[in-house]
Amino acid sequence: MKIQNRIALIFTFLTAGIILSLSVFLYIFASESISNSFFHRLEVRSDIVGHAALHKNKSQTSIYYDIKEKHLGDLPDEQHRIIFHNDFKKADSLKKKLPLPQTFYDAIVRKQPARFFHNDTSYVGLNIIQPGENIIVISSAVDLYGLAEMENLKNLLIVGFCISLVFVFTFGKFFSIQIFQPIRRIIRNVKGISAHNLNQRLMVDSSKDEIADLSKTFNDMLDRLEITFEIQNNFVSNASHEFKTPLTIISGEAQLGLSVPGIPDNVRDSFRTIFRESEKMEHLTNSMLSLAQTGFDGKKEQWEEIRIDELILSVKGTADQIIPANKVEINFDQLPEDERKLVIIGNETLLKAAFSNIVLNSCKYSDNAPVHIVIRSEDNYVLVEITDEGIGIPDREIAQIFVPFFRASNTEKYKGYGIGLPLTNNIIKLHQGSIVVKSEVEIGTRFTVFLPFI
Ligand code: ADP
């Protein structure tokens, strides 16, 4: 799960917990206060009824009832049970009938407030004492209004809780997206940086927050990486340069030796071997030099508009010179109608070297069997497909063919150094393109080069 979603969820859970606790607290508080007030109202009525019962005089009794009727009124399902002193029988039968706990009766005896709530009904018990007389009044009533109020409050709290959850999650998501915006920008920028454009840096805004710190730290790391790459690159370039002069001298001397008339055959053979091997070494150092130059950045190269179909034609020309027996065929049937889809921005020399490597490999590894080249366009890319009917590349090894000096296990019969494809890959990447390879042993190989057109 993405961190931004996790933050939104944690935020929602936390807030939900707080809202839920508040709602429960509010509900309990409201319920306590409503039931206390109802108990109080019931106690007042119970007190009046008790005092009325204590008076033997009928007119006084009716005064109490008048007051109750006029000023207080009846509560829903209001009932009063009066137990006179020593009326144990009634006390026993009421005890059996009413669902009241022993603590309720104990409180009445101790003359403390006796209150109990059962099945929506509130019960109060009073012990009224007057000189010479003592009665117990147990009253009950149903707080219909209070129950309805509590039900309303409960529904309101549940609906409020659900709505606030939706709001909290939406806001949480929105804020986490906002918070992670700069991080996503950094990820996008970092993804665009590779060995080919190590000179690029992340944008550091003026704020002194952690994001600016992160960008700065990353830029510092890129500085160090760039220096390391440059040192390595210069080393390979310098070493290749240093090799070039002695190699030229060796091959020159070998040629000179070969031109001397009358030298013995075995000496001539030695000169030939020296000449051949020094030529190979020269080719290898040249390839390494190119690899080092393209592997780093495109700053040294000259860029221009290039038509891919023309470039491929000139590659075919090169192949004809190097391997006259080649069977390279270019298929122009799928060329895009819009010519602009064939034009790319790039360096002609480098691209020619890249495509020549692929095409010459196809001829080499198929022993000059037919090689088909198709040029077409797809989305924003012009595609060049080079298909041969050669030895193919073993499945496990396809991923490594762009690693410098790697050669597949089925190439013993063929000469090579494993530098051509890494160089080609660097050149294509330098042009913001990519290469896809599909191959089957003993069936053939297809290289598809994608290059973005302008
Ligand atoms: P090499 O000088 O060995 O040809 P490359 O860098 O050009 O070096 O190619 C790397 C490896 O990729 C080769 O050694 C070979 O195993 C494999 N390869 C490249 N092109 C082909 C192809 N068309 N058919 C089969 N194998 C290929």
Side-chain angles (χ1 to χ4, degrees):
M1 191 193 276
K2 281 187 175 175
I3 294 183
Q4 69 182 43
N5 289 342
R6 225 183 297 159
I7 287 184
L9 272 182
I10 291 172
F11 181 62
T12 310
F13 279 129
L14 270 179
T15 321
I18 294 170
I19 296 175
L20 193 69
S21 321
L22 261 178
S23 305
V24 171
F25 173 76
L26 201 73
Y27 184 82
I28 293 173
F29 182 77
S31 144
E32 282 289 310
S33 107
I34 287 175
S35 88
N36 273 343
S37 121
F38 189 72
F39 276 131
H40 180 71
R41 286 162 67 200
L42 191 56
E43 275 165 355
V44 171
R45 284 162 176 77
S46 185
D47 193 54
I48 292 173
V49 171
H51 279 93
L54 276 176
H55 284 280
K56 304 274 182 287
N57 185 332
K58 284 272 175 239
S59 62
Q60 268 193 328
T61 305
S62 69
I63 290 174
Y64 273 105
Y65 280 110
D66 274 356
I67 292 171
K68 180 177 170 293
E69 203 61 41
K70 267 196 195 143
H71 299 287
L72 300 172
D74 273 350
L75 294 172
D77 213 1
E78 183 179 323
Q79 289 179 39
H80 302 279
R81 292 114 188 141
I82 298 161
I83 306 158
F84 286 93
H85 188 59
N86 293 338
D87 189 354
F88 297 114
K89 218 172 132 205
K90 188 169 183 187
D92 265 354
S93 86
L94 273 177
K95 230 175 164 179
K96 275 184 199 133
K97 220 170 85 192
L98 298 174
L100 300 169
Q102 186 55 42
T103 47
F104 183 87
Y105 299 109
D106 293 345
I108 296 175
V109 174
R110 285 199 302 273
K111 299 188 189 72
Q112 283 171 352
R115 291 172 170 182
F116 190 66
F117 183 81
H118 178 76
N119 266 355
D120 294 347
T121 309
S122 303
Y123 294 87
V124 295
L126 287 185
N127 192 349
I128 301 170
I129 302 166
Q130 270 199 2
E133 195 58 275
N134 174 15
I135 60 166
I136 288 172
V137 184
I138 296 176
S139 307
S140 65
V142 176
D143 186 7
L144 286 180
Y145 176 76
L147 288 173
E149 282 286 285
M150 287 316 296
E151 194 58 31
N152 276 347
L153 182 67
K154 192 169 85 189
N155 292 340
L156 201 79
L157 288 175
I158 290 173
V159 172
F161 176 72
C162 295
I163 293 176
S164 56
L165 269 198
V166 174
F167 270 103
V168 167
F169 183 74
T170 316
F171 281 122
K173 183 105 188 152
F174 174 75
F175 281 121
S176 65
I177 287 173
Q178 291 294 312
I179 289 169
F180 279 90
Q181 188 112 325
I183 294 191
R184 275 199 304 278
R185 197 195 65 223
I186 291 179
I187 293 172
R188 250 196 330 270
N189 290 352
V190 170
K191 272 187 182 164
I193 299 176
S194 68
H196 305 285
N197 54 2
L198 263 185
N199 55 327
Q200 267 190 32
R201 291 293 175 268
L202 299 182
M203 221 175 65
V204 183
D205 39 26
S206 50
S207 59
K208 289 201 167 96
D209 57 11
E210 286 82 355
I211 301 292
D213 246 10
L214 180 70
S215 306
K216 253 174 71 191
T217 313
F218 203 85
N219 282 346
D220 290 346
M221 192 187 77
L222 282 176
D223 284 343
R224 291 195 295 276
L225 262 181
E226 195 180 2
I227 291 168
T228 317
F229 263 62
E230 198 135 22
I231 291 170
Q232 185 203 3
N233 201 52
N234 285 343
F235 172 75
V236 179
S237 299
N238 291 342
S240 309
H241 265 302
E242 293 305 319
F243 279 136
K244 261 177 121 174
T245 324
L247 279 172
T248 317
I249 294 170
I250 292 170
S251 71
E253 293 293 317
Q255 262 180 314
L256 194 69
L258 277 172
S259 64
V260 176
I263 52 164
D265 277 356
N266 56 345
V267 177
R268 187 174 296 278
D269 281 351
S270 293
F271 275 132
R272 244 189 230 121
T273 312
I274 294 170
F275 178 67
R276 204 176 49 237
E277 292 304 315
S278 61
E279 287 281 286
K280 269 197 211 165
M281 281 286 280
E282 232 181 308
H283 175 69
L284 182 61
T285 45
N286 281 342
S287 302
M288 279 174 60
L289 189 62
S290 314
L291 184 62
Q293 277 170 353
T294 57
F296 186 50
D297 58 35
K299 284 185 279 189
K300 305 171 191 117
E301 322 301 345
Q302 212 201 334
W303 295 69
E304 60 197 329
E305 286 190 5
I306 302 164
R307 267 190 70 134
I308 280 293
D309 50 345
E310 288 171 6
L311 184 97
I312 297 298
L313 266 177
S314 79
V315 169
K316 159 83 175 140
T318 311
D320 289 345
Q321 274 175 13
I322 299 174
I323 313 173
N326 79 76
K327 292 203 188 86
V328 176
E329 264 177 38
I330 308 172
N331 180 341
F332 293 106
D333 293 351
Q334 297 184 45
L335 279 188
E337 276 175 23
D338 185 354
E339 288 189 357
R340 279 171 306 173
K341 291 187 175 177
L342 286 169
V343 182
I344 63 153
I345 295 280
N347 178 278
E348 193 171 351
T349 319
L350 288 179
L351 282 174
K352 208 171 150 186
F355 283 106
S356 299
N357 273 335
I358 300 177
V359 174
L360 293 176
N361 270 351
S362 292
C363 297
K364 177 166 76 173
Y365 292 112
S366 67
D367 298 308
N368 287 334
V371 173
H372 299 281
I373 305 180
V374 175
I375 305 166
R376 58 191 180 89
S377 73
E378 209 177 88
D379 302 327
N380 297 327
Y381 291 89
V382 50
L383 275 67
V384 182
E385 287 174 357
I386 300 135
T387 314
D388 66 50
E389 297 161 16
I391 59 169
I393 307 164
D395 243 8
R396 296 173 282 117
E397 299 176 4
I398 290 184
Q400 298 179 64
I401 59 171
F402 297 116
V403 176
F405 302 107
F406 176 83
R407 303 202 71 219
S409 52
N410 58 344
T411 55
E412 301 100 13
K413 212 179 102 189
Y414 303 89
K415 284 192 180 142
Y417 305 104
I419 289 183
L421 280 190
L423 176 64
T424 302
N425 196 32
N426 281 350
I427 293 171
I428 299 300
K429 275 197 196 159
L430 206 62
H431 289 79
Q432 315 297 327
S434 58
I435 306 176
V436 174
V437 187
K438 280 205 176 122
S439 185
E440 234 177 288
V441 174
E442 298 304 340
I443 303 273
T445 306
R446 171 178 292 175
F447 282 83
T448 310
V449 180
F450 292 73
L451 287 166
F453 55 72
I454 48 175

